[in-house]
Amino acid sequence: MRLGVEETLGALNAALGPGGPVWFKETRARHLRVRDFLAPRRALEARFGDDQVPERVVHAIVGLQGPGVAPVLSCAPTPAGLALQLRRSAVFERVLGAVAAYAAPTVPAAPGPRVVLHCPALRGSPCALRLSQLRAVLVADHLARALHAHRVSVRLVPAVRDPHMPTFLQQLRVDWPAASERAATEALRSRALAELTPARNAEALPPGALGRVYLKELVDERGRTTGYDPKLDSCLVTEDLLAVLAELQQAVQDWAEDSSLGLAAAPDAGADSCMVVHVVSCEEEFQQQKLDLLWWKLDDQAPLRQKHLVCGPVKVAGAPGTLTAPEYYELRHAQVCKASALKRGRDLAQDSAWMEIFRVLSVATIKFEMLSTAPQSQLLLALADSSISTKGTKSGTFVMYNCARLATLFESYKCSMEQGLYPTFPPVSSLDFSLLHDEGEWLLLFNSILPFPDLLSQTAALPCTAPGLHITARTEMVCKFLVQLSMDFSSYYNRVHILGEPRPHLFGQMFARLQLLRAVREVLHTGLAMLGLPPLSHI
């Protein structure tokens, strides 16, 4: 079983006896020089009074064992509290001896709910896509990837119908289905016609409108305590609106009719085991609330759990608010091409391989800009060329640059090995990980590789049973993690010469370091895959 931060924290807190959690994991380099976990002094005083932690408790902590619990070297009182250090060479050996277990999501033991991800912004054309809607699309795509990686059964709605949208989504490396045929609306139309309220004051209905359905009763019944806008009182029912409902209805019903429910599908296929998550921009939310209520009004089998993941507004510094998603992409792509031409002293526009790299870098820039902020928060975009520099440590370009540096490192080792300078890579079980004693090496393992499966689980966690209409998602976590990983790797790589002189007495440390960086590479590639980004071998 893999070692885990959560498992270790759970065992440490249990060792202190009854009470709330006390221990926390250190992340800063200056603290990791002396400890890995800390139980703060004030928290211990609240638990044990002014007395010291009992010696028997300290002894129990040092001897901690259990599934997923990291081996402890020492535990001692300090002015800051109870400081604990792990047996680092043993942790290196456990983790780097099973890299695949730490570079992949943890599959949950029990299946979760089936999820319909609905992104209304995809019903239009690319040229009408506002930046706030683009943000919702990227959040929905990233969330879908995270859920799929955890074997959650997911249906994506709507299937795109605009002829230009699939090409634009492919350009953005967004994986979303295209439409085949329209869902039938007859049953919903019949129910809607029965619910229509006669027009007041000879209200003229626009083309395609069937009439108005009043929702005030549903708002009073469901809305006041759950977050629906109290101003909602009616909805103008149109053929287009019924088509939207029919597609959502079909996505839920298909599960009941599908004999192959998928690895994580619940055995009961009713609407109660399904959750619908509407990923909407803040401008679209009011209309989506109407749609929720109308679905409940017209369909007795509508899912009881409909949640809104509302993405905050996108503001552009020093630019008009009319910038569309395709214009934003073209701007970033032009900036990437310009920066590369300046760096290399020549225009690479005619080189198809380089142009593909530039397209990946453009999308990486956009996705890291759009996804590095919590989705419910306002996002401020700076459109200056500095946003695409490999020198800036916060950009997607910086992450891709370090991905390419890792690829170059392993290619250099391979070439040197083929020339006879280095031996072939020995079995991992024969490596001496006690030779890893640089603080940057522990920083990479303890802050990036070891907690990575837990981070992926948090990204895919949806508060299914939380009360209220609105939910949050941690879609910013992967981008922030990859940026921090790239910063830590870059600092280490700039300081430590990995491929040393070809002397036999240096090979042991070189291979231990290469195995560490293999794990870094695998974690980085998995994180990029969660964003729909391929690894790059050079930039």
Side-chain angles (χ1 to χ4, degrees):
M1 180 180 179
R2 67 171 180 84
L3 300 180
V5 173
E6 294 301 322
E7 291 86 348
T8 303
L9 284 171
L12 289 173
N13 284 312
L16 290 178
V22 172
W23 290 92
F24 69 88
K25 174 187 174 295
E26 294 286 10
T27 57
R28 295 184 180 181
R30 64 186 180 92
H31 291 150
L32 288 172
R33 292 179 190 129
V34 294
R35 62 181 183 250
D36 298 316
F37 294 91
L38 179 71
R41 180 174 55 84
R42 290 192 176 182
L44 293 173
E45 288 174 352
R47 177 75 62 88
F48 297 102
D50 293 334
D51 300 330
Q52 291 185 343
V53 178
E55 193 68 24
R56 59 178 175 77
V57 173
V58 176
H59 280 305
I61 289 172
V62 174
L64 272 183
Q65 292 182 344
V69 178
V72 177
L73 173 66
S74 63
C75 179
T78 69
L82 207 54
L84 181 141
Q85 193 169 55
L86 299 177
R87 288 197 286 121
R88 294 184 174 183
S89 60
V91 176
F92 272 121
E93 184 175 350
R94 287 278 299 275
V95 174
L96 299 183
V99 168
Y102 295 88
T106 302
V107 179
R114 294 166 298 127
V115 177
V116 173
L117 278 181
H118 174 222
C119 187
L122 288 169
R123 288 201 163 80
S125 63
C127 61
L129 204 62
R130 300 186 301 272
L131 293 185
S132 58
Q133 293 175 307
L134 173 64
R135 186 185 191 187
V137 170
L138 297 181
V139 165
D141 175 64
H142 178 42
L143 186 56
R145 292 176 192 274
L147 292 170
H148 278 306
H150 285 81
R151 309 290 180 88
V152 175
S153 187
V154 180
R155 292 287 169 90
L156 303 177
V157 179
V160 295
R161 297 188 179 279
D162 183 90
H164 304 291
M165 186 63 86
T167 302
F168 183 61
L169 293 181
Q170 185 178 21
Q171 199 173 43
L172 290 172
R173 296 183 176 271
V174 169
D175 190 11
W176 206 271
S180 53
E181 58 185 29
R182 288 186 177 273
T185 61
E186 286 76 10
L188 287 170
R189 183 185 294 106
S190 299
R191 182 72 178 266
L193 291 172
E195 295 283 352
L196 291 181
T197 301
R200 294 179 296 184
N201 302 323
E203 177 185 13
L205 296 176
L210 301 178
R212 192 172 293 278
V213 170
Y214 281 88
L215 306 171
K216 191 67 174 175
E217 181 181 340
L218 270 177
V219 173
D220 292 339
E221 178 186 333
R222 299 174 182 261
R224 294 192 182 280
T225 59
T226 57
Y228 283 93
D229 194 315
K231 300 186 185 69
L232 273 173
D233 63 348
S234 66
C235 178
L236 187 65
V237 181
T238 64
E239 294 289 353
D240 287 342
L241 203 58
L242 291 179
V244 171
L245 284 181
E247 189 171 10
L248 285 166
Q249 185 184 58
Q250 188 64 49
V252 174
Q253 291 175 350
D254 280 349
W255 265 311
E257 299 166 359
D258 193 348
S259 59
S260 57
L261 292 175
L263 291 174
D268 58 321
D272 289 355
S273 65
C274 167
M275 179 170 71
V276 180
V277 179
H278 305 284
V279 185
V280 295
S281 66
C282 51
E283 299 95 338
E284 296 168 318
E285 194 202 1
F286 186 76
Q287 179 62 25
Q288 187 57 52
Q289 289 189 17
K290 287 185 178 181
L291 190 71
D292 291 6
L293 296 169
L294 185 63
W295 192 2
W296 276 321
K297 187 89 169 179
L298 302 184
D299 181 5
D300 295 332
Q301 301 302 313
L304 298 178
R305 286 183 292 176
Q306 293 190 61
K307 300 288 186 179
H308 285 209
L309 176 53
V310 182
C311 297
V314 177
K315 306 293 183 183
V316 180
T322 56
L323 192 70
T324 65
E327 290 169 343
Y328 174 44
Y329 173 84
E330 292 302 329
L331 173 66
R332 287 300 185 222
H333 186 259
Q335 289 172 334
V336 167
C337 294
K338 177 184 174 183
S340 180
L342 290 173
K343 181 178 179 180
R344 290 168 178 78
R346 61 192 178 97
D347 188 358
L348 297 168
Q350 303 306 314
D351 189 317
S352 60
W354 274 107
M355 289 308 293
E356 177 60 22
I357 289 173
F358 296 160
R359 284 189 284 270
V360 172
L361 290 176
S362 303
V363 174
T365 301
I366 289 170
K367 288 194 172 184
F368 274 80
E369 284 179 326
M370 286 280 180
L371 294 173
S372 293
T373 302
Q376 62 271 20
S377 301
Q378 176 176 296
L379 176 62
L380 181 63
L381 286 183
L383 298 182
D385 289 4
S386 59
S387 298
I388 50 89
S389 171
T390 59
K391 303 299 182 184
T393 57
K394 302 297 184 183
S395 69
T397 310
F398 176 72
V399 173
M400 302 307 288
Y401 168 66
N402 282 285
C403 178
R405 294 173 87 185
L406 274 167
T408 301
L409 169 69
F410 283 98
E411 184 61 30
S412 298
Y413 164 72
K414 180 183 176 184
C415 292
S416 297
M417 182 194 68
E418 291 170 349
Q419 294 169 12
L421 294 176
Y422 298 131
T424 57
F425 206 96
V428 175
S429 59
S430 69
L431 299 180
D432 182 2
F433 292 112
S434 67
L435 298 172
L436 297 177
H437 43 67
D438 185 276
E439 69 175 36
E441 291 157 356
W442 182 246
L443 202 66
L444 285 168
L445 184 119
F446 194 58
N447 279 352
S448 298
I449 302 167
L450 183 63
F452 185 58
D454 290 335
L455 175 131
L456 292 179
S457 296
Q458 293 171 38
T459 303
L462 288 174
C464 304
T465 58
L469 172 66
H470 300 101
I471 61 169
T472 57
R474 305 294 303 277
T475 51
E476 77 281 4
M477 293 184 73
V478 169
C479 285
K480 287 185 174 181
F481 170 86
L482 292 177
V483 166
Q484 186 61 54
L485 170 59
S486 298
M487 291 171 64
D488 290 341
F489 164 71
S490 182
S491 174
Y492 173 69
Y493 190 74
N494 290 340
R495 191 181 70 256
V496 177
H497 192 48
I498 308 299
L499 299 179
E501 295 186 22
R503 298 179 181 178
H505 71 283
L506 299 177
F507 289 158
Q509 187 177 57
M510 181 188 76
F511 284 126
R513 286 172 168 171
L514 282 173
Q515 182 64 12
L516 170 67
L517 295 183
R518 271 183 174 177
V520 170
R521 180 185 63 182
E522 294 307 307
V523 165
L524 182 58
H525 287 187
T526 300
L528 290 174
M530 292 293 163
L531 300 169
L533 294 170
L536 293 182
S537 58
H538 63 280
I539 293 182

